[in-house]
Amino acid sequence: MAKPFEVVVEQVVEATPEETWEAVSTGLGMDGWFMGSSTVEPRLGGVVRTALPGLTMESTITTWDPPHRFANTSAEDADGRLMAFEFTIEGRAGGTTHLRLVHSGFLPDEIWADEFDALKKGDPTYVFKLAEYLKYFRGRQAVPVSVYGPPVPAAEAWPAFNAVMGVAPDVEVGAPVRFTPTGLPEIDGVIDYRSSDLLGVRTADAMYRFFVGMGIAYVGHHIFADVDPAATQAAWEAWLNGLFAEAGVA
C-alpha cells in the first residue's frame, strides 16, 4: 500500500517566464539545477528521462503550456510509489517570475514518514538551486555530477566535510570558502546554502552541493565549464569515498 503526499514550494526568480520555462522543461535547463542528467521530449505526452548512477527515472509530460505550466508524472511502481511534478510560472514586475512547484504523488507506507520528511527538506533546496542557476548560470551547459558515498552517520560525516573545506560547523551563508579536493581543481567561492542536510558552495563556474541524509553522504554538483563528464564523475567518486576512508568513518 502507498499513502499520498504533497510538497509545495514557491519562489520569485530573477528571470523572465520564458527563461524560467526553459530551465524547467528542457534537458539543458534541468542539468543546471536538477539531479542527474536529463532529456526532455518537448510535447504533451513526451518523456522526461533523468539518469543517475545505477538508475534512470522516467515520467510522462501531462501538461505542456509554454511558458505557463509544465507537469510530468511517473508510472506507478509495484510498491505504489508515484511522483508528479507541476510547475506554474507567472511573470512579475522587473523581469522577475513567480515559480510554484507542486510535488505530489504516493509513497510506500513503510517508508512514508522518512521519505516525506526528506522531500519536505529536499524540494526547497532544488528550487533554491534553480533560482541560483537562473541568476548566475542561465543558458550555460552544465556537467552534472552525482555521487553516492558510503553509509555514514551525520554526526561523523559533517565534521569530515567541514574539515576538508576549512569551514566551521556554524559557517554562515555568504562566507568565503577555498579548498582543493584531492585529485580535483581548486574550489574558490562562497557558501550559498546551509541546512542540517546540505552545504552549498557557488563559484564563478559551478554549484557544488554536499549532502548528508538517509544514512549516507553524497554530492550533487553542476559544473559550468569545459570538463570531461566521465573523468569528473570518477574523480568526485574517488574523492568522496577516499574522504571517509581517511576519516575512518567508512
Side-chain angles (χ1 to χ4, degrees):
M1 296 291 292
K3 293 167 54 178
F5 75 92
E6 181 178 272
V7 180
V8 179
V9 185
E10 300 184 68
Q11 178 135 0
V12 174
V13 299
E14 297 183 31
T16 66
E18 291 77 13
E19 291 165 340
T20 306
W21 172 266
E22 289 295 313
V24 303
S25 69
T26 69
L28 173 67
M30 291 178 67
D31 283 356
W33 64 273
F34 194 54
M35 64 178 70
S37 179
S38 297
T39 60
V40 179
E41 295 177 356
R43 60 179 176 83
L44 185 65
V47 175
V48 179
R49 292 186 179 88
T50 298
L52 291 158
L55 171 69
T56 297
M57 303 183 298
E58 292 193 359
S59 58
T60 300
I61 297 173
T62 55
T63 301
W64 181 266
D65 180 21
H68 308 294
R69 289 181 65 226
F70 174 74
N72 55 290
T73 302
S74 71
E76 183 179 340
D77 289 346
D79 60 5
R81 180 191 302 273
L82 182 146
M83 297 281 179
F85 298 86
E86 180 183 51
F87 295 92
T88 302
I89 299 167
E90 296 180 356
R92 295 291 170 88
T96 62
T97 295
H98 179 266
L99 176 70
R100 185 175 191 263
L101 165 65
V102 178
H103 183 188
S104 61
F106 294 85
L107 296 169
D109 278 356
E110 61 272 17
I111 57 172
W112 187 91
D114 288 342
E115 290 219 13
F116 185 37
D117 182 63
L119 292 174
K120 286 188 291 185
K121 295 177 180 177
D123 284 344
T125 70
Y126 279 105
V127 173
F128 175 84
K129 192 164 42 164
L130 169 57
E132 293 280 274
Y133 164 73
L134 286 167
K135 182 176 182 178
Y136 296 103
F137 305 105
R138 182 172 63 241
R140 293 171 62 180
Q141 177 69 60
V143 173
V145 176
S146 299
V147 177
Y148 298 97
V152 55
E156 298 177 355
W158 281 122
F161 276 143
N162 292 336
V164 78
M165 286 189 273
V167 300
D170 59 350
V171 64
E172 296 183 354
V173 169
V177 58
R178 186 174 183 177
F179 69 103
T180 303
T182 303
L184 287 153
E186 181 184 66
I187 293 174
D188 185 1
V190 297
I191 302 296
D192 70 337
Y193 196 94
R194 180 175 174 267
S195 71
S196 61
D197 304 287
L198 167 65
L199 192 62
V201 177
R202 188 186 70 250
T203 70
D205 57 9
M207 287 190 289
Y208 297 97
R209 295 295 184 266
F210 303 87
F211 300 86
V212 179
M214 305 295 285
I216 64 170
Y218 53 108
V219 301
H221 307 325
H222 304 270
I223 301 172
F224 302 91
D226 185 15
V227 298
D228 179 83
T232 302
Q233 176 81 14
W236 276 104
E237 183 173 0
W239 177 82
L240 185 61
N241 287 296
L243 172 65
F244 292 107
E246 291 174 8
V249 297

Short mmCIF file of all heavy atoms in Angstrom, two decimals, residues 91-155:
data_model
loop_
_atom_site.label_atom_id
_atom_site.label_comp_id
_atom_site.label_asym_id
_atom_site.label_seq_id
_atom_site.Cartn_x
_atom_site.Cartn_y
_atom_site.Cartn_z
N GLY A 91 4.74 35.72 -14.69
CA GLY A 91 5.62 36.88 -14.78
C GLY A 91 5.28 37.93 -13.74
O GLY A 91 4.12 38.13 -13.39
N ARG A 92 6.32 38.60 -13.25
CA ARG A 92 6.17 39.67 -12.29
C ARG A 92 6.93 40.90 -12.78
O ARG A 92 7.64 40.85 -13.79
CB ARG A 92 6.69 39.24 -10.91
CG ARG A 92 5.87 38.10 -10.29
CD ARG A 92 4.47 38.56 -9.88
NE ARG A 92 3.61 37.45 -9.51
CZ ARG A 92 3.53 36.94 -8.30
NH1 ARG A 92 4.30 37.40 -7.33
NH2 ARG A 92 2.69 35.95 -8.04
N ALA A 93 6.81 42.00 -12.06
CA ALA A 93 7.44 43.24 -12.47
C ALA A 93 8.96 43.11 -12.44
O ALA A 93 9.52 42.30 -11.70
CB ALA A 93 7.01 44.38 -11.53
N GLY A 94 9.61 43.93 -13.28
CA GLY A 94 11.06 43.98 -13.28
C GLY A 94 11.74 42.77 -13.89
O GLY A 94 12.91 42.50 -13.58
N GLY A 95 11.04 42.04 -14.76
CA GLY A 95 11.65 40.89 -15.41
C GLY A 95 11.82 39.69 -14.51
O GLY A 95 12.60 38.78 -14.82
N THR A 96 11.08 39.65 -13.39
CA THR A 96 11.15 38.50 -12.50
C THR A 96 9.95 37.58 -12.74
O THR A 96 9.01 37.92 -13.45
CB THR A 96 11.19 38.94 -11.02
OG1 THR A 96 9.97 39.63 -10.72
CG2 THR A 96 12.38 39.84 -10.76
N THR A 97 10.00 36.43 -12.09
CA THR A 97 8.95 35.41 -12.27
C THR A 97 8.63 34.74 -10.95
O THR A 97 9.54 34.42 -10.17
CB THR A 97 9.41 34.35 -13.30
OG1 THR A 97 9.55 34.97 -14.58
CG2 THR A 97 8.41 33.21 -13.40
N HIS A 98 7.35 34.53 -10.70
CA HIS A 98 6.93 33.74 -9.55
C HIS A 98 6.79 32.29 -10.01
O HIS A 98 6.03 31.98 -10.94
CB HIS A 98 5.59 34.23 -9.00
CG HIS A 98 5.10 33.43 -7.83
ND1 HIS A 98 4.23 32.37 -7.98
CD2 HIS A 98 5.36 33.52 -6.50
CE1 HIS A 98 3.97 31.85 -6.80
NE2 HIS A 98 4.64 32.53 -5.89
N LEU A 99 7.54 31.41 -9.36
CA LEU A 99 7.54 29.99 -9.70
C LEU A 99 6.92 29.20 -8.56
O LEU A 99 7.28 29.38 -7.40
CB LEU A 99 8.97 29.51 -9.94
CG LEU A 99 9.14 28.01 -10.22
CD1 LEU A 99 8.57 27.65 -11.58
CD2 LEU A 99 10.62 27.62 -10.13
N ARG A 100 5.98 28.33 -8.91
CA ARG A 100 5.34 27.47 -7.91
C ARG A 100 5.51 26.02 -8.32
O ARG A 100 5.11 25.62 -9.42
CB ARG A 100 3.86 27.81 -7.77
CG ARG A 100 3.12 27.03 -6.66
CD ARG A 100 1.69 27.55 -6.54
NE ARG A 100 1.02 27.05 -5.35
CZ ARG A 100 0.20 25.99 -5.34
NH1 ARG A 100 -0.05 25.33 -6.46
NH2 ARG A 100 -0.37 25.62 -4.21
N LEU A 101 6.13 25.24 -7.44
CA LEU A 101 6.29 23.80 -7.67
C LEU A 101 5.36 23.05 -6.74
O LEU A 101 5.36 23.28 -5.52
CB LEU A 101 7.73 23.37 -7.40
CG LEU A 101 7.96 21.85 -7.25
CD1 LEU A 101 7.67 21.12 -8.56
CD2 LEU A 101 9.37 21.56 -6.75
N VAL A 102 4.58 22.15 -7.30
CA VAL A 102 3.80 21.20 -6.50
C VAL A 102 4.34 19.80 -6.81
O VAL A 102 4.26 19.33 -7.94
CB VAL A 102 2.29 21.26 -6.84
CG1 VAL A 102 1.54 20.22 -6.01
CG2 VAL A 102 1.75 22.65 -6.58
N HIS A 103 4.93 19.19 -5.82
CA HIS A 103 5.46 17.83 -5.94
C HIS A 103 4.53 16.92 -5.14
O HIS A 103 4.40 17.07 -3.92
CB HIS A 103 6.88 17.79 -5.37
CG HIS A 103 7.55 16.46 -5.50
ND1 HIS A 103 8.77 16.18 -4.90
CD2 HIS A 103 7.19 15.31 -6.15
CE1 HIS A 103 9.12 14.94 -5.19
NE2 HIS A 103 8.18 14.39 -5.93
N SER A 104 3.87 16.01 -5.82
CA SER A 104 2.86 15.18 -5.16
C SER A 104 2.97 13.75 -5.66
O SER A 104 3.77 13.42 -6.54
CB SER A 104 1.46 15.73 -5.42
OG SER A 104 1.17 15.74 -6.81
N GLY A 105 2.14 12.89 -5.08
CA GLY A 105 2.12 11.50 -5.51
C GLY A 105 1.86 10.57 -4.35
O GLY A 105 1.12 10.91 -3.41
N PHE A 106 2.50 9.40 -4.39
CA PHE A 106 2.30 8.37 -3.38
C PHE A 106 3.66 7.77 -2.99
O PHE A 106 4.54 7.60 -3.84
CB PHE A 106 1.38 7.26 -3.90
CG PHE A 106 -0.03 7.72 -4.14
CD1 PHE A 106 -0.38 8.30 -5.35
CD2 PHE A 106 -1.00 7.57 -3.17
CE1 PHE A 106 -1.68 8.75 -5.58
CE2 PHE A 106 -2.30 8.01 -3.38
CZ PHE A 106 -2.65 8.59 -4.59
N LEU A 107 3.79 7.44 -1.71
CA LEU A 107 4.99 6.79 -1.18
C LEU A 107 4.57 5.54 -0.42
O LEU A 107 3.52 5.52 0.22
CB LEU A 107 5.74 7.73 -0.24
CG LEU A 107 6.31 9.01 -0.86
CD1 LEU A 107 6.78 9.96 0.23
CD2 LEU A 107 7.44 8.69 -1.83
N PRO A 108 5.40 4.48 -0.46
CA PRO A 108 5.06 3.25 0.26
C PRO A 108 4.86 3.51 1.75
O PRO A 108 5.59 4.29 2.36
CB PRO A 108 6.28 2.35 0.00
CG PRO A 108 6.88 2.87 -1.26
CD PRO A 108 6.66 4.35 -1.24
N ASP A 109 3.87 2.85 2.31
CA ASP A 109 3.52 3.05 3.72
C ASP A 109 4.70 2.92 4.66
O ASP A 109 4.89 3.74 5.57
CB ASP A 109 2.46 2.02 4.14
CG ASP A 109 1.06 2.44 3.73
OD1 ASP A 109 0.91 3.55 3.19
OD2 ASP A 109 0.11 1.65 3.95
N GLU A 110 5.52 1.87 4.47
CA GLU A 110 6.55 1.56 5.47
C GLU A 110 7.67 2.59 5.53
O GLU A 110 8.39 2.67 6.52
CB GLU A 110 7.14 0.16 5.21
CG GLU A 110 7.82 -0.01 3.86
CD GLU A 110 6.87 -0.44 2.75
OE1 GLU A 110 5.65 -0.29 2.93
OE2 GLU A 110 7.35 -0.91 1.72
N ILE A 111 7.83 3.40 4.48
CA ILE A 111 8.88 4.42 4.49
C ILE A 111 8.29 5.82 4.28
O ILE A 111 9.03 6.78 4.08
CB ILE A 111 9.93 4.14 3.39
CG1 ILE A 111 9.26 4.07 2.01
CG2 ILE A 111 10.70 2.86 3.69
CD1 ILE A 111 10.25 3.99 0.86
N TRP A 112 6.97 5.93 4.36
CA TRP A 112 6.30 7.20 4.04
C TRP A 112 6.85 8.36 4.87
O TRP A 112 7.20 9.41 4.33
CB TRP A 112 4.80 7.04 4.27
CG TRP A 112 4.00 8.23 3.81
CD1 TRP A 112 3.44 8.41 2.58
CD2 TRP A 112 3.68 9.40 4.58
NE1 TRP A 112 2.79 9.63 2.53
CE2 TRP A 112 2.92 10.26 3.74
CE3 TRP A 112 3.95 9.80 5.88
CZ2 TRP A 112 2.44 11.48 4.17
CZ3 TRP A 112 3.48 11.04 6.32
CH2 TRP A 112 2.73 11.87 5.47
N ALA A 113 6.93 8.20 6.17
CA ALA A 113 7.33 9.30 7.04
C ALA A 113 8.73 9.79 6.73
O ALA A 113 8.98 11.00 6.61
CB ALA A 113 7.22 8.89 8.50
N ASP A 114 9.69 8.85 6.58
CA ASP A 114 11.08 9.23 6.32
C ASP A 114 11.22 9.90 4.96
O ASP A 114 11.92 10.91 4.81
CB ASP A 114 11.99 8.01 6.40
CG ASP A 114 12.19 7.52 7.83
OD1 ASP A 114 11.90 8.30 8.76
OD2 ASP A 114 12.61 6.36 8.00
N GLU A 115 10.59 9.33 3.95
CA GLU A 115 10.73 9.89 2.60
C GLU A 115 10.00 11.22 2.47
O GLU A 115 10.49 12.14 1.80
CB GLU A 115 10.24 8.89 1.55
CG GLU A 115 11.15 7.69 1.40
CD GLU A 115 11.29 7.26 -0.05
OE1 GLU A 115 10.91 8.02 -0.96
OE2 GLU A 115 11.80 6.14 -0.26
N PHE A 116 8.85 11.33 3.09
CA PHE A 116 8.13 12.61 3.04
C PHE A 116 8.94 13.69 3.73
O PHE A 116 9.05 14.82 3.25
CB PHE A 116 6.75 12.45 3.69
CG PHE A 116 5.88 13.68 3.58
CD1 PHE A 116 5.88 14.46 2.44
CD2 PHE A 116 5.05 14.04 4.62
CE1 PHE A 116 5.07 15.59 2.33
CE2 PHE A 116 4.23 15.17 4.54
CZ PHE A 116 4.26 15.95 3.39
N ASP A 117 9.56 13.34 4.85
CA ASP A 117 10.41 14.32 5.54
C ASP A 117 11.58 14.73 4.66
O ASP A 117 11.94 15.92 4.59
CB ASP A 117 10.92 13.71 6.85
CG ASP A 117 11.77 14.69 7.65
OD1 ASP A 117 11.24 15.72 8.06
OD2 ASP A 117 12.97 14.41 7.84
N ALA A 118 12.17 13.77 3.95
CA ALA A 118 13.29 14.08 3.06
C ALA A 118 12.85 14.99 1.91
O ALA A 118 13.57 15.91 1.51
CB ALA A 118 13.90 12.79 2.52
N LEU A 119 11.65 14.75 1.37
CA LEU A 119 11.15 15.58 0.28
C LEU A 119 10.83 17.00 0.75
O LEU A 119 11.08 17.98 0.04
CB LEU A 119 9.90 14.94 -0.34
CG LEU A 119 10.12 13.64 -1.10
CD1 LEU A 119 8.79 13.05 -1.54
CD2 LEU A 119 11.03 13.83 -2.29
N LYS A 120 10.29 17.11 1.97
CA LYS A 120 9.99 18.44 2.51
C LYS A 120 11.27 19.26 2.70
O LYS A 120 11.25 20.49 2.59
CB LYS A 120 9.24 18.32 3.83
CG LYS A 120 7.78 17.89 3.68
CD LYS A 120 7.04 17.96 4.99
CE LYS A 120 7.50 16.92 5.97
NZ LYS A 120 6.68 16.92 7.22
N LYS A 121 12.38 18.59 2.97
CA LYS A 121 13.66 19.28 3.09
C LYS A 121 14.31 19.47 1.72
O LYS A 121 14.92 20.50 1.45
CB LYS A 121 14.60 18.47 3.99
CG LYS A 121 14.16 18.36 5.43
CD LYS A 121 15.11 17.48 6.21
CE LYS A 121 14.70 17.35 7.67
NZ LYS A 121 15.60 16.42 8.40
N GLY A 122 14.20 18.45 0.87
CA GLY A 122 14.92 18.48 -0.39
C GLY A 122 14.33 19.36 -1.46
O GLY A 122 15.06 20.05 -2.19
N ASP A 123 13.00 19.40 -1.58
CA ASP A 123 12.40 20.18 -2.65
C ASP A 123 12.75 21.67 -2.58
O ASP A 123 13.08 22.28 -3.60
CB ASP A 123 10.88 19.98 -2.67
CG ASP A 123 10.48 18.64 -3.25
OD1 ASP A 123 11.31 18.00 -3.92
OD2 ASP A 123 9.32 18.22 -3.05
N PRO A 124 12.71 22.29 -1.40
CA PRO A 124 13.12 23.70 -1.35
C PRO A 124 14.57 23.93 -1.76
O PRO A 124 14.90 24.97 -2.34
CB PRO A 124 12.90 24.08 0.11
CG PRO A 124 11.85 23.14 0.60
CD PRO A 124 12.15 21.85 -0.11
N THR A 125 15.45 22.96 -1.50
CA THR A 125 16.84 23.14 -1.90
C THR A 125 16.98 23.12 -3.41
O THR A 125 17.81 23.85 -3.97
CB THR A 125 17.75 22.06 -1.28
OG1 THR A 125 17.49 20.79 -1.88
CG2 THR A 125 17.56 21.97 0.21
N TYR A 126 16.18 22.30 -4.10
CA TYR A 126 16.24 22.26 -5.55
C TYR A 126 15.66 23.53 -6.17
O TYR A 126 16.19 24.05 -7.16
CB TYR A 126 15.52 21.02 -6.09
CG TYR A 126 16.37 19.78 -6.01
CD1 TYR A 126 16.14 18.81 -5.04
CD2 TYR A 126 17.43 19.58 -6.90
CE1 TYR A 126 16.94 17.68 -4.95
CE2 TYR A 126 18.23 18.45 -6.82
CZ TYR A 126 17.98 17.51 -5.85
OH TYR A 126 18.78 16.39 -5.76
N VAL A 127 14.58 24.05 -5.59
CA VAL A 127 14.01 25.29 -6.11
C VAL A 127 14.99 26.45 -5.88
O VAL A 127 15.15 27.32 -6.74
CB VAL A 127 12.64 25.57 -5.47
CG1 VAL A 127 12.13 26.96 -5.88
CG2 VAL A 127 11.63 24.50 -5.91
N PHE A 128 15.65 26.47 -4.73
CA PHE A 128 16.68 27.48 -4.50
C PHE A 128 17.79 27.36 -5.53
O PHE A 128 18.27 28.36 -6.08
CB PHE A 128 17.25 27.34 -3.09
CG PHE A 128 18.39 28.28 -2.82
CD1 PHE A 128 18.15 29.58 -2.41
CD2 PHE A 128 19.71 27.87 -2.99
CE1 PHE A 128 19.19 30.46 -2.17
CE2 PHE A 128 20.76 28.74 -2.76
CZ PHE A 128 20.50 30.04 -2.35
N LYS A 129 18.22 26.13 -5.80
CA LYS A 129 19.28 25.91 -6.78
C LYS A 129 18.83 26.34 -8.18
O LYS A 129 19.61 26.89 -8.95
CB LYS A 129 19.70 24.44 -6.76
CG LYS A 129 20.97 24.17 -7.53
CD LYS A 129 21.60 22.81 -7.21
CE LYS A 129 20.63 21.68 -7.10
NZ LYS A 129 21.30 20.35 -7.16
N LEU A 130 17.56 26.11 -8.50
CA LEU A 130 17.00 26.59 -9.76
C LEU A 130 17.10 28.11 -9.84
O LEU A 130 17.48 28.67 -10.88
CB LEU A 130 15.55 26.13 -9.88
CG LEU A 130 14.70 26.74 -10.99
CD1 LEU A 130 15.31 26.52 -12.36
CD2 LEU A 130 13.28 26.18 -10.94
N ALA A 131 16.76 28.79 -8.75
CA ALA A 131 16.86 30.25 -8.73
C ALA A 131 18.30 30.71 -8.91
O ALA A 131 18.57 31.70 -9.62
CB ALA A 131 16.28 30.80 -7.43
N GLU A 132 19.24 30.01 -8.28
CA GLU A 132 20.65 30.34 -8.43
C GLU A 132 21.12 30.13 -9.87
O GLU A 132 21.87 30.94 -10.43
CB GLU A 132 21.50 29.48 -7.49
CG GLU A 132 21.30 29.78 -6.02
CD GLU A 132 22.07 31.01 -5.58
OE1 GLU A 132 23.26 30.88 -5.24
OE2 GLU A 132 21.47 32.10 -5.59
N TYR A 133 20.68 29.03 -10.46
CA TYR A 133 21.01 28.77 -11.86
C TYR A 133 20.52 29.90 -12.76
O TYR A 133 21.26 30.41 -13.62
CB TYR A 133 20.40 27.43 -12.30
CG TYR A 133 20.36 27.25 -13.80
CD1 TYR A 133 21.52 27.00 -14.53
CD2 TYR A 133 19.15 27.36 -14.50
CE1 TYR A 133 21.48 26.85 -15.91
CE2 TYR A 133 19.11 27.21 -15.87
CZ TYR A 133 20.27 26.96 -16.58
OH TYR A 133 20.23 26.82 -17.94
N LEU A 134 19.27 30.31 -12.58
CA LEU A 134 18.71 31.37 -13.42
C LEU A 134 19.42 32.70 -13.21
O LEU A 134 19.59 33.48 -14.15
CB LEU A 134 17.22 31.52 -13.13
CG LEU A 134 16.33 30.41 -13.70
CD1 LEU A 134 14.93 30.48 -13.09
CD2 LEU A 134 16.25 30.51 -15.22
N LYS A 135 19.85 32.96 -12.00
CA LYS A 135 20.51 34.24 -11.70
C LYS A 135 21.95 34.28 -12.19
O LYS A 135 22.40 35.28 -12.75
CB LYS A 135 20.46 34.51 -10.20
CG LYS A 135 21.08 35.84 -9.81
CD LYS A 135 20.92 36.11 -8.31
CE LYS A 135 21.51 37.46 -7.93
NZ LYS A 135 21.30 37.76 -6.47
N TYR A 136 22.68 33.17 -12.01
CA TYR A 136 24.12 33.20 -12.25
C TYR A 136 24.59 32.41 -13.48
O TYR A 136 25.66 32.70 -14.02
CB TYR A 136 24.86 32.66 -11.03
CG TYR A 136 24.69 33.50 -9.79
CD1 TYR A 136 23.81 33.10 -8.78
CD2 TYR A 136 25.38 34.70 -9.63
CE1 TYR A 136 23.66 33.87 -7.62
CE2 TYR A 136 25.23 35.47 -8.48
CZ TYR A 136 24.36 35.05 -7.49
OH TYR A 136 24.19 35.82 -6.36
N PHE A 137 23.83 31.41 -13.90
CA PHE A 137 24.34 30.49 -14.93
C PHE A 137 23.37 30.26 -16.08
O PHE A 137 23.57 29.35 -16.88
CB PHE A 137 24.69 29.14 -14.30
CG PHE A 137 25.65 29.23 -13.14
CD1 PHE A 137 25.19 29.08 -11.83
CD2 PHE A 137 26.99 29.48 -13.34
CE1 PHE A 137 26.07 29.15 -10.76
CE2 PHE A 137 27.88 29.56 -12.28
CZ PHE A 137 27.42 29.39 -10.99
N ARG A 138 22.32 31.04 -16.17
CA ARG A 138 21.25 30.81 -17.13
C ARG A 138 21.77 30.60 -18.54
O ARG A 138 22.57 31.38 -19.05
CB ARG A 138 20.29 31.99 -17.10
CG ARG A 138 19.09 31.85 -18.03
CD ARG A 138 18.10 32.97 -17.81
NE ARG A 138 18.62 34.29 -18.11
CZ ARG A 138 18.73 35.28 -17.24
NH1 ARG A 138 18.38 35.11 -15.98
NH2 ARG A 138 19.21 36.45 -17.61
N GLY A 139 21.32 29.50 -19.16
CA GLY A 139 21.67 29.21 -20.54
C GLY A 139 22.99 28.51 -20.75
O GLY A 139 23.30 28.09 -21.87
N ARG A 140 23.78 28.36 -19.68
CA ARG A 140 25.08 27.70 -19.81
C ARG A 140 24.92 26.18 -19.65
O ARG A 140 24.11 25.70 -18.86
CB ARG A 140 26.06 28.24 -18.77
CG ARG A 140 26.45 29.68 -19.00
CD ARG A 140 27.25 30.26 -17.85
NE ARG A 140 28.52 29.57 -17.64
CZ ARG A 140 29.40 29.90 -16.69
NH1 ARG A 140 29.12 30.91 -15.86
NH2 ARG A 140 30.54 29.23 -16.56
N GLN A 141 25.69 25.43 -20.42
CA GLN A 141 25.65 23.98 -20.34
C GLN A 141 26.35 23.50 -19.07
O GLN A 141 27.48 23.90 -18.79
CB GLN A 141 26.35 23.37 -21.55
CG GLN A 141 26.42 21.85 -21.54
CD GLN A 141 25.06 21.21 -21.73
OE1 GLN A 141 24.39 21.43 -22.74
NE2 GLN A 141 24.63 20.40 -20.75
N ALA A 142 25.68 22.66 -18.32
CA ALA A 142 26.27 22.12 -17.09
C ALA A 142 26.70 20.67 -17.28
O ALA A 142 26.10 19.92 -18.06
CB ALA A 142 25.27 22.19 -15.94
N VAL A 143 27.75 20.30 -16.57
CA VAL A 143 28.11 18.90 -16.42
C VAL A 143 27.62 18.48 -15.03
O VAL A 143 28.18 18.91 -14.02
CB VAL A 143 29.63 18.69 -16.53
CG1 VAL A 143 30.00 17.24 -16.20
CG2 VAL A 143 30.12 19.05 -17.93
N PRO A 144 26.54 17.69 -14.95
CA PRO A 144 26.04 17.27 -13.63
C PRO A 144 26.94 16.17 -13.05
O PRO A 144 27.42 15.30 -13.78
CB PRO A 144 24.64 16.72 -13.94
CG PRO A 144 24.34 17.11 -15.35
CD PRO A 144 25.66 17.25 -16.03
N VAL A 145 27.16 16.23 -11.76
CA VAL A 145 27.94 15.22 -11.05
C VAL A 145 27.10 14.72 -9.88
O VAL A 145 26.71 15.49 -9.01
CB VAL A 145 29.27 15.80 -10.52
CG1 VAL A 145 30.01 14.76 -9.69
CG2 VAL A 145 30.14 16.30 -11.66
N SER A 146 26.79 13.43 -9.89
CA SER A 146 26.02 12.82 -8.80
C SER A 146 26.78 11.61 -8.29
O SER A 146 27.02 10.66 -9.05
CB SER A 146 24.63 12.39 -9.29
OG SER A 146 23.89 13.50 -9.76
N VAL A 147 27.19 11.65 -7.03
CA VAL A 147 27.95 10.55 -6.45
C VAL A 147 27.36 10.21 -5.08
O VAL A 147 27.22 11.09 -4.22
CB VAL A 147 29.44 10.90 -6.28
CG1 VAL A 147 30.18 9.75 -5.60
CG2 VAL A 147 30.08 11.22 -7.62
N TYR A 148 27.03 8.94 -4.88
CA TYR A 148 26.55 8.46 -3.59
C TYR A 148 27.70 7.79 -2.87
O TYR A 148 28.31 6.85 -3.39
CB TYR A 148 25.38 7.49 -3.78
CG TYR A 148 24.20 8.14 -4.45
CD1 TYR A 148 23.99 8.02 -5.82
CD2 TYR A 148 23.31 8.90 -3.71
CE1 TYR A 148 22.90 8.64 -6.43
CE2 TYR A 148 22.22 9.52 -4.31
CZ TYR A 148 22.03 9.38 -5.67
OH TYR A 148 20.97 10.00 -6.29
N GLY A 149 28.00 8.27 -1.68
CA GLY A 149 29.12 7.76 -0.92
C GLY A 149 28.73 6.63 0.01
O GLY A 149 27.66 6.03 -0.11
N PRO A 150 29.59 6.34 0.96
CA PRO A 150 29.37 5.21 1.87
C PRO A 150 28.34 5.53 2.94
O PRO A 150 28.06 6.70 3.21
CB PRO A 150 30.76 5.01 2.50
CG PRO A 150 31.35 6.39 2.49
CD PRO A 150 30.86 7.04 1.23
N PRO A 151 27.79 4.51 3.59
CA PRO A 151 26.94 4.75 4.75
C PRO A 151 27.75 5.43 5.84
O PRO A 151 28.85 4.98 6.18
CB PRO A 151 26.50 3.35 5.17
CG PRO A 151 26.73 2.49 3.97
CD PRO A 151 27.90 3.08 3.26
N VAL A 152 27.21 6.52 6.38
CA VAL A 152 27.93 7.25 7.41
C VAL A 152 26.95 8.10 8.21
O VAL A 152 26.08 8.75 7.62
CB VAL A 152 29.04 8.13 6.80
CG1 VAL A 152 28.49 9.06 5.75
CG2 VAL A 152 29.80 8.91 7.86
N PRO A 153 27.03 8.10 9.52
CA PRO A 153 26.13 8.93 10.33
C PRO A 153 26.43 10.41 10.12
O PRO A 153 27.58 10.80 9.90
CB PRO A 153 26.45 8.50 11.77
CG PRO A 153 27.21 7.22 11.66
CD PRO A 153 27.91 7.26 10.35
N ALA A 154 25.40 11.22 10.21
CA ALA A 154 25.57 12.66 10.02
C ALA A 154 26.58 13.24 11.01
O ALA A 154 27.35 14.14 10.68
CB ALA A 154 24.23 13.36 10.16
N ALA A 155 26.58 12.71 12.24
CA ALA A 155 27.47 13.22 13.28
C ALA A 155 28.93 13.01 12.94
O ALA A 155 29.81 13.68 13.49
CB ALA A 155 27.15 12.57 14.61
#
